[in-house]
Amino acid sequence: LGARLTIALDAMGGDHAPEIVVAGAAIAQRRFPDVHFLMFGDERRIGRLIDAEAGLRAATTVRHTELAVSADDRPSVALRQGRNTSMQLSINAVRDGDAAGVVSAGNTGALMAMSKVSIKTLPGIDRPAIAAFFPTLVGESVMLDLGANVECDVHNLVQFAMLGAAFARSVLGLERPTVGLVNVGAEEAKGREPVKQAAAILREGSPYFGFHGFVEGNDIANGTVDVFVVDGFTGNITLKSIEGTVKLYTEYLRQTFKSSLTTRLAFLLARRAFKKMRARLDPRRYNGATFLGLNGIVVKSHGGTDAFGFANAIGVAVDMTANGFNDILTRELASFAAEQPTKARAAVS
Amino acid sequence: LGARLTIALDAMGGDHAPEIVVAGAAIAQRRFPDVHFLMFGDERRIGRLIDAEAGLRAATTVRHTELAVSADDRPSVALRQGRNTSMQLSINAVRDGDAAGVVSAGNTGALMAMSKVSIKTLPGIDRPAIAAFFPTLVGESVMLDLGANVECDVHNLVQFAMLGAAFARSVLGLERPTVGLVNVGAEEAKGREPVKQAAAILREGSPYFGFHGFVEGNDIANGTVDVFVVDGFTGNITLKSIEGTVKLYTEYLRQTFKSSLTTRLAFLLARRAFKKMRARLDPRRYNGATFLGLNGIVVKSHGGTDAFGFANAIGVAVDMTANGFNDILTRELASFAAEQPTKARAAVS
């Protein structure tokens, strides 16, 4: 990591802000000693919290603002009236080159709207997508879009494939990730029109990823591909369904272990192993959804996460910055547009 | 159950047909002694299997055909060329009043296409939907559409709400089920246009179900409502994602119990309790997706299921028939059209 790596933090965003933001920064600071934080928020509240964390003060610059975007604000309202909020100011820090990336646990819609207006999308990208990685049977995969775009056309889906592949390379360290389009069947004739059209373009091939073809819902947990491309409506509902199912199973497990003296004893015996298993599925480990396709790095933390989860979201921003994610992506987008036949060129223009 | 309850079975449909179809019929026959089976398929193969099951021969009539729809047949091809297949003939038995319902583990697309043409949709229903029930934190819920319609307009979604509510009443025995529209957020302004328009109509109320409003992906496992209404693209991917996640978690669990001698001992101690837990999540228990909105009862079994699973699919058809599902539904559709204001009337016409 370069010594000049600065991450802007929206200190007032999220259900438990600013406490978990500062505590998360402290955890991240121990993990990445070269990172500097630019924290936006209420100085009186943040200052005391920073001083309570050993070593954090030296790694942090605080920029005071009393205004914050609230969880219920409509994105359009936040955009118009939120000029001096901690969220907008921390995004502007990326735009102005004062920070390499920004992390916020605040209102997702507002963060996306402000980012689009302030940082703008990359050349060749019509709309940014929300991406995150998650555990599979064989490791970890990336899925996008997770809710930024409820309607997606063929161009959006093709662009998401490129964005997701670059993200998988950067954060998961994969040389040439595999990409699948989520659909209702593996056969060419099945599914929605934009999905079928996107497949036709992606089948032409790319030097940056391998196109697997269509994948189905069960392929997600199987980890059939490294990158799952889907529209934001389906992606959002799928992701939350998976989270809900993990909670359901965990609750069944809890009830099972509590059902008799024998099962309680069994739990005591297996406790350490179960702790490890739970850690593999811990949503905090996978905290940090990225807004891909912007002219800068924007990471959204889950609003209800704790310090450990927020530190992981900071980790995603640090990884992307350290690996020069946006430079690599910009180069790939340009070369994709130049190399591919007419259809593909149409898709990214 | 009336003595005249006859269920048609496509004996040649599914990965392990006709063996599991006949064995499943034998299990169902012990559960529902008044049911009669009309089995369509290769008499030489089925005959021996039936004779091997005590009591099944007396409850079964076999109609011979050597033709069958294969798993890879395109629905349009099956429809044109499959006139004398076991699938088409078993559907025709419902059309002709020889059977109250039909169960098949064969090609889903072909079964839907043939059912639509042969049995036709109910008055007020534009397109049938695929529905199934599944386990939640608080009991069981129904979800539809699970893949019959990759694109759904406002009319389809409103009709699915009525179909799903009638199904929940009939199979889950709920007096006045609650219905939710699956969306990317609970706020009125969020989501796709058809979903928002359907919500506006459903908010006007119905005597047959309570409209909860929007629900999200995590509400599915929570069982927030009795009936989850969603387009067939999202519903199919969501359902398969949930199934994949259950398999993933089960595999993690298996690895955890195998990780040391102590955890193996723990598993032995808790084995009985775990068997019970696995049974709660057993996909065979929830086998039997129903095609709702047709002028007759059509149940699709999972193609890869075993006899126990196929017997449960027969159970769904028996429940629906015994409760007079289609008569009740037809009455409700007519009254919905008559009672609701213009918007709603437009939705079902």
Side-chain angles (χ1 to χ4, degrees), chain A:
Chain A
L1 294 185
R4 289 179 54 249
L5 176 52
T6 298
I7 303 290
L9 301 179
D10 169 11
M12 311 312 282
D15 304 347
H16 313 296
E19 286 77 12
I20 66 106
V21 174
V22 175
I27 296 172
Q29 202 266 322
R30 289 191 287 275
R31 256 187 239 163
F32 311 106
D34 287 337
V35 170
H36 188 85
F37 296 114
L38 198 52
M39 272 193 215
F40 292 84
D42 187 336
E43 198 160 32
R44 282 156 304 183
R45 295 181 63 190
I46 306 171
R48 264 174 302 171
L49 295 167
I50 293 174
D51 290 331
E53 303 281 353
L56 188 57
R57 175 60 77 179
T60 307
T61 305
V62 176
R63 298 268 170 88
H64 177 72
T65 176
E66 279 171 18
L67 301 173
V69 172
S70 97
D72 330 305
D73 285 345
R74 285 217 184 186
S76 55
V77 175
L79 195 59
R80 272 200 315 276
Q81 301 172 359
R83 208 159 301 162
N84 291 310
T85 56
S86 59
M87 184 182 280
Q88 181 69 72
L89 294 174
S90 58
I91 294 169
N92 292 349
V94 177
R95 179 197 63 193
D96 301 338
D98 296 335
V102 52
V103 183
S104 172
N107 185 322
T108 310
L111 187 67
M112 179 56 94
M114 287 175 167
S115 298
K116 279 200 272 193
V117 171
S118 173
I119 307 185
K120 306 234 161 37
T121 53
L122 286 167
I125 298 295
D126 297 325
R127 294 206 232 149
I130 303 177
F133 57 110
F134 55 86
T136 72
L137 267 180
V138 293
E140 288 168 353
S141 292
V142 172
M143 184 153 69
L144 75 167
D145 174 26
L146 299 177
N149 311 284
V150 295
E151 300 286 357
C152 291
D153 64 18
V154 49
H155 306 296
N156 300 135
L157 294 173
V158 170
Q159 292 164 19
F160 294 172
M162 292 186 287
L163 294 173
F167 183 65
R169 241 193 326 280
S170 163
V171 173
L172 298 180
L174 302 165
E175 189 67 36
R176 193 165 182 272
T178 53
V179 173
L181 274 171
V182 183
N183 199 356
V184 295
E187 303 83 1
E188 270 189 47
K190 280 203 173 178
R192 285 195 173 147
E193 277 314 312
V195 179
K196 289 192 265 185
Q197 292 164 7
I201 293 174
L202 292 171
R203 272 190 212 103
E204 296 178 11
S206 156
Y208 305 115
F209 57 85
F211 180 59
H212 175 94
F214 293 141
V215 287
E216 299 188 65
N218 50 310
D219 288 307
I220 297 171
N222 288 341
T224 307
V225 292
D226 301 313
V227 179
F228 291 87
V229 172
V230 65
D231 68 86
F233 185 84
T234 311
N236 181 280
I237 291 164
T238 299
L239 178 78
K240 287 179 182 164
S241 300
I242 290 173
E243 288 171 355
T245 305
V246 168
K247 269 174 77 178
L248 172 75
Y249 207 129
T250 304
E251 173 58 24
Y252 278 13
L253 205 57
R254 201 188 60 81
Q255 289 173 11
T256 302
F257 275 126
K258 281 187 71 177
S259 61
S260 75
L261 268 177
T262 323
T263 54
R264 278 170 207 263
L265 175 62
F267 177 68
L268 287 179
L269 284 172
R271 186 149 60 175
R272 265 218 338 242
F274 269 98
K275 223 177 142 184
K276 248 192 244 171
M277 185 191 85
R278 291 286 300 274
R280 284 175 82 176
L281 289 163
D282 188 344
R284 296 178 307 166
R285 257 191 76 181
Y286 300 94
N287 188 35
T290 314
F291 293 177
L292 295 180
L294 293 163
N295 240 319
I297 289 157
V298 181
V299 175
K300 167 68 173 73
S301 160
H302 198 286
T305 197
D306 62 10
F308 174 72
F310 196 83
N312 287 335
I314 294 175
V316 172
V318 172
D319 279 349
M320 293 176 73
T321 307
N323 298 334
F325 172 76
N326 262 16
D327 291 343
I328 295 171
L329 179 59
T330 309
R331 212 158 51 229
E332 288 179 12
L333 287 171
S335 107
F336 186 87
E339 281 170 25
Q340 299 291 309
T342 339
K343 267 203 284 187
R345 213 171 297 138
V348 293
S349 67

